């Protein structure tokens, strides 16, 4: 009877390289952008910021990510905000904007081998050459993208490894070819094209078009649900989950991430998986709050949280490198008899071995999308049998996690006693919602720092005169939702540095809805009674038609346009409007104001059911306001695209 049992169980996991290898492992990554997902990280105190970056990128410390994917800012809303383009206009270029350059530099400092992957969401309007399509003139778009890649090299000594097409929008084969030839012409033969960051549909075109097949390095699919299409497999191309996860980063999120990291290869032959997003560093109440591997939303306190998805990532990344090889299905890759999965990876020399096992149950590993078909996992004992080159291994190091769903903390990334192999065999007892890494490598570390400072509310009163920034930097706490903000030198010396809305024309959008009325939110979506004041100047050339301050602003992201709140607009034609919504469909009050060229001050006090406004510090209106919204962000913005300068932002609560 016992003999029979052993016989049955010897089939559980077989690790055997005698039949060769499966596909090459291309790495696990995180995505900053798509959009503005790292917004609040930049302003952290240096100490905590370095710690956070270590948890993300430092090898053998935390998530130890192997790929960093970033957005190429396009001045358009791309989920949690807008990211600045390096060419707001066809006649200028600037590589000091935004924070993705900084982030890539920090990632490379920690891991020089990290691969960089860039992808645009939206584009400045001029790319459309009079149309609303970025492909109107493929050469113009290719030039724009390759300038960004060149900017990375020239200004930051960064090598971009992978370039994508247009996030989750249609691809254009003529453009892809034109991108390849412009890359080649300008010395970027080594930059590889990933296409097309949507579903698998480009696979059919790759099969029909041998030129296209030559220039696509990997087919990148979003949210594949661990499956690839037959077409995708038959291209013979590398298959990547080039965006995946996007799940609230609690233990279920960790379960999702653990399951897809293994099963994207087991079920779908995908050799890279990239998390949207890298780190949730955007204000609470913006879309997809906390859908990152960890959370850092309090630069003012320094508080951050290292959630379990970081340690789930470590189970693979700390014991593999890009270029390791998966073993083949049935010989190191597969599903466990009672549910769960395993993948075995081998170092290029064939000598080191890492096996990652997960037993995530259905309800504890649901991702945001697609729907997860029912399956069961049961506790099980498995036998691991090492064959061929691995038969002489006597022990493997063991790293263990068990996600907890009963209120007690999860056990994450704990080193256990080595697993001893006798004649190439060992038994393992697996529970539910567990991850186990078996590895011949010994360098894994569960990195740690002293606990970060405790969580605090956004500090008020808040003042910013924008003197402390480098030119072109985006103000730290203002999170642009439409348009972009940049610190510039004012012509008027008494104002020193000011912040400017930079976007002159509607960008080529990524969101489904067309957005106008550039604005940025700040603070806390729970703010109710608020005083917000700002100085502004509307220039003579390329100007916007008006500016506003607002309180209780209740939307950002792709829904930014339908935002409600209390908005106080001032127009240079000497009018003001108070409205209940950004689009001014619900006007609460309007009248005239003594406008003149130069700097002015807008002040708005929202207190329970009253709003009081002042212009140049003189009372202008005092009105009753609707009960909805009850609370929201502070905001600053303009009436339409076009320049406006702002200075001396001041925000206070008023009880
Ligand atoms: C993706 C975007 O690429 C990201 O920028 C971010 O918005 C992320 C949030 O989950 O989602 O876009 C998708 C949005 C909706 C679907 C798929 C991808 N969807 O509904 O299937």
């Amino acid at each position: 009877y016992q003999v029979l049992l052993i016989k049955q169980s010897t089939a559980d996991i077989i690790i055997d390289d005698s039949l060769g290898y499966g596909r090459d492992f291309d790495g696990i990554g995180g995505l900053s952008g798509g959009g503005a997902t790292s917004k609040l990280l930049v302003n952290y105190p240096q100490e905590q910021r370095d710690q956070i970056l270590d948890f993300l990128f430092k090898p053998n410390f935390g998530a130890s990510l192997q790929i960093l994917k970033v957005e190429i800012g396009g001045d358009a809303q791309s989920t949690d905000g807008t990211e600045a383009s390096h060419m707001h206009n066809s006649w200028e270029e600037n590589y000091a904007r935004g924070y993705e350059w900084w982030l890539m530099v920090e990632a490379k400092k920690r891991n020089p081998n990290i691969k960089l992957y860039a992808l645009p969401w939206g584009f400045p309007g001029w790319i459309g050459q009079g149309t609303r399509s970025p492909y109107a003139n493929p050469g113009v778009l290719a030039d724009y993208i390759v300038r960004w890649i060149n900017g990375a090299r020239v200004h930051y000594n960064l090598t971009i490894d992978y370039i994508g097409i247009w996030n989750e929008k249609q691809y254009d084969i003529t453009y892809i070819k034109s991108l390849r030839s412009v890359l080649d012409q300008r010395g970027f033969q080594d930059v590889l094209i990933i296409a097309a960051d949507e579903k698998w549909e480009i696979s059919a075109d790759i099969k029909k078009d041998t030129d296209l097949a030559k220039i696509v390095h990997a087919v990148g699919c979003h949210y594949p649900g661990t499956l690839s299409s037959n077409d995708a497999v038959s291209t013979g191309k590398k298959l990547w989950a080039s965006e995946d996860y996007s799940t609230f980063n609690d233990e279920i999120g960790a379960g999702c991430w653990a399951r897809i990291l293994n099963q994207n290869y087991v079920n779908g032959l995908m050799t890279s998986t990239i998390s949207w997003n890298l780190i949730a560093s955007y204000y609470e109440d913006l879309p997809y709050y906390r859908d990152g591997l960890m959370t850092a939303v309090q630069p003012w306190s320094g508080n951050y949280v290292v959630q379990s998805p970081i340690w789930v990532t470590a189970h693979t990344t700390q014991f593999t490198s890009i270029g390791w090889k998966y073993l083949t299905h049935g010989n190191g890759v597969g599903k466990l008899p009672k549910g769960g999965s395993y993948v075995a990876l081998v170092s290029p020399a064939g000598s080191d071995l890492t096996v990652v096992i997960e037993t995530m149950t259905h309800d504890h590993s649901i991702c945001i999308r697609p729907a997860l078909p029912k399956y069961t996992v049961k506790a099980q004992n498995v036998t691991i049998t090492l064959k061929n080159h691995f038969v002489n291994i006597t022990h493997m190091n063991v790293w263990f996690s068990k996600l907890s769903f009963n209120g007690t903390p999860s056990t994450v990334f704990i080193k256990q006693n080595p697993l001893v192999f006798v004649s190439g065999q060992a038994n393992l007892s697996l529970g539910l919602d567990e991850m186990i890494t078996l590895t011949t490598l010994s360098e894994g570390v569960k990195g740690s720092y002293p606990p970060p400072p405790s969580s605090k509310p956004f500090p008020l009163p808040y003042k910013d005169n924008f003197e402390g920034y480098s030119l072109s930097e985006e103000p730290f706490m203002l999170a642009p939702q439409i348009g972009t903000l940049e610190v510039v030198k004012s012509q008027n010396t008494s104002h020193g540095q000011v912040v400017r809305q930079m976007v002159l024309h509607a960008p080529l959008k990524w969101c489904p809805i067309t957005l106008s009325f550039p604005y940025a939110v700040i603070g806390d979506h729970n703010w109710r009674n608020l005083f917000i004041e700002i100085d502004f100047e509307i220039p003579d050339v390329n100007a916007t038609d008006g500016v506003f301050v607002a309180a209780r602003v209740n939307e950002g992201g792709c829904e930014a346009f339908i935002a409600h709140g209390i908005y106080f607009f001032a127009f240079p034609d000497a009018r003001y409007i108070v409205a209940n919504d950004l689009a001014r469909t619900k006007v609460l009050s309007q009248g005239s104001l003594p406008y003149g060229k130069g700097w002015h001050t807008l002040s708005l006090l929202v207190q329970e059911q009253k709003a009081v406004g002042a212009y140049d510090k003189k009372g202008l209106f005092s009105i009753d306001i609707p009960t909805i919204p009850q609370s929201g962000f502070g905001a600053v913005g303009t009436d339409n695209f076009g320049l406006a300068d702002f200075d001396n932002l001041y925000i206070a609560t008023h009880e």
Side-chain angles (χ1 to χ4, degrees), residues 279-604:
I279 183 166
S281 274
Y282 38 99
Y283 288 120
E284 179 164 12
D285 218 31
L286 291 175
Y288 307 103
Y289 184 57
R290 277 182 55 184
D291 286 11
L293 298 176
M294 62 181 282
T295 309
V297 291
Q298 289 198 352
W300 53 85
S301 69
N303 180 259
Y304 64 86
V305 188
V306 181
Q307 275 102 352
S308 297
I310 290 287
W311 303 116
V312 166
T313 318
H315 268 280
T316 302
T317 53
Q318 291 205 13
F319 311 106
T320 59
S321 298
I322 290 174
W324 278 44
K325 288 157 193 309
Y326 285 101
L327 287 178
T328 60
H329 284 66
N331 299 299
V333 171
K335 293 281 188 60
L336 293 164
K338 294 187 175 169
S341 70
Y342 59 96
V343 292
L345 294 116
V346 182
S347 62
S351 47
D352 276 304
L353 172 67
T354 292
V355 185
V356 186
I357 301 167
E358 61 79 24
T359 60
M360 297 303 146
T361 57
H362 178 275
D363 291 0
H364 292 159
S365 69
I366 294 176
C367 306
I368 192 171
R369 62 179 82 93
L372 181 63
K374 275 276 170 215
Y375 65 86
T376 54
V377 183
K378 290 189 175 139
Q380 55 199 309
N381 292 317
V382 297
T383 301
I384 302 174
T385 308
L386 304 177
K387 294 195 171 166
N388 205 40
H389 283 103
F390 310 118
V391 75
N392 293 325
I393 291 175
T394 56
H395 66 274
M396 289 180 83
N397 293 311
V398 179
W399 290 83
F400 176 74
S401 295
K402 185 178 182 73
L403 301 176
S404 167
F405 297 88
N406 62 11
T408 64
S410 292
T411 302
V412 280
F413 205 59
I414 300 299
K415 190 170 188 182
Q416 296 187 326
N417 291 332
L419 184 66
V420 174
F421 285 82
V422 177
S423 316
Q425 276 210 348
N427 295 313
L428 207 55
S429 155
L430 301 173
L432 303 180
D433 301 316
E434 291 181 354
M435 266 189 112
I436 291 175
T437 300
L438 307 177
T439 182
T440 57
L441 298 181
S442 47
E443 46 273 81
V445 174
K446 185 174 183 184
S448 72
Y449 283 113
S454 56
S455 167
K456 289 195 193 77
F458 189 102
L460 290 178
Y462 176 82
K463 283 181 192 183
D464 201 345
N465 62 13
F466 310 109
E467 298 306 318
Y469 295 90
S470 326
L471 292 181
S472 306
E473 210 169 359
E474 191 172 281
F476 296 139
M477 306 315 298
L478 284 161
Q481 300 300 309
I482 305 175
T484 68
L485 294 176
E486 256 162 60
V487 172
V488 300
K489 244 198 166 45
S490 164
Q491 277 95 320
N492 181 331
T493 47
S494 73
H495 274 268
Q497 293 192 166
V498 300
V499 71
R500 178 171 292 170
Q501 198 298 109
M502 299 297 289
V503 180
L504 300 186
H505 303 287
L508 305 182
K509 65 179 198 268
W510 179 77
C511 292
I513 335 175
T514 298
L515 303 170
S516 37
F517 304 100
Y519 75 94
V521 296
I522 182 164
D524 189 324
H525 71 110
N526 289 313
W527 279 347
R528 174 165 172 76
N529 293 332
L530 199 72
F531 177 79
I532 178 163
E533 182 174 271
I534 196 142
D535 296 345
F536 73 92
E537 180 181 48
I538 298 181
D540 296 332
V541 184
N542 285 329
T544 179
D545 290 339
V547 298
F548 69 81
V549 285
R552 298 188 188 173
V553 171
N554 69 350
E555 291 284 355
C558 285
E559 309 277 272
F561 188 71
I562 60 162
H564 280 63
I566 302 299
Y567 293 82
F568 171 20
F569 284 87
F571 302 94
D573 62 359
R575 287 176 304 132
Y576 77 88
I577 292 178
V578 185
N580 195 193
D581 60 338
L582 175 65
R584 297 202 302 272
T585 66
K586 296 164 188 159
V587 172
L588 303 174
S589 170
Q590 52 190 316
S592 60
L593 46 76
Y595 190 85
K597 274 190 186 306
W599 284 88
H600 296 282
T601 303
L602 281 183
S603 321
L604 172 68

Side-chain angles (χ1 to χ4, degrees), residues 83-102:
E83 297 200 26
S85 170
H86 57 297
M87 299 178 80
H88 294 310
N89 303 294
S90 59
W91 62 82
E92 50 97 38
E93 268 175 281
N94 180 320
Y95 297 91
R97 293 174 182 149
Y99 29 80
E100 304 299 358
W101 307 115
W102 164 79

Side-chain angles (χ1 to χ4, degrees), residues 34 78-79 121 167-168 222-223 243 246 276 288 368-369 510:
S78 52
T79 298
W121 265 246
N167 185 63
E168 296 187 353
H222 288 193
Y223 305 93
E243 186 187 311
S246 186
W276 190 91
Y288 307 103
I368 192 171
R369 62 179 82 93
W510 179 77

Side-chain angles (χ1 to χ4, degrees), residues 116-147:
L116 301 175
Y117 175 175
L119 177 69
W121 265 246
F123 306 91
W126 64 269
I127 294 287
Q129 305 281 296
T131 76
R132 302 303 293 160
S133 164
Y135 302 127
N137 180 335
V140 167
L141 180 56
D143 174 70
Y144 169 81
I145 293 296
V146 178
R147 279 175 194 269

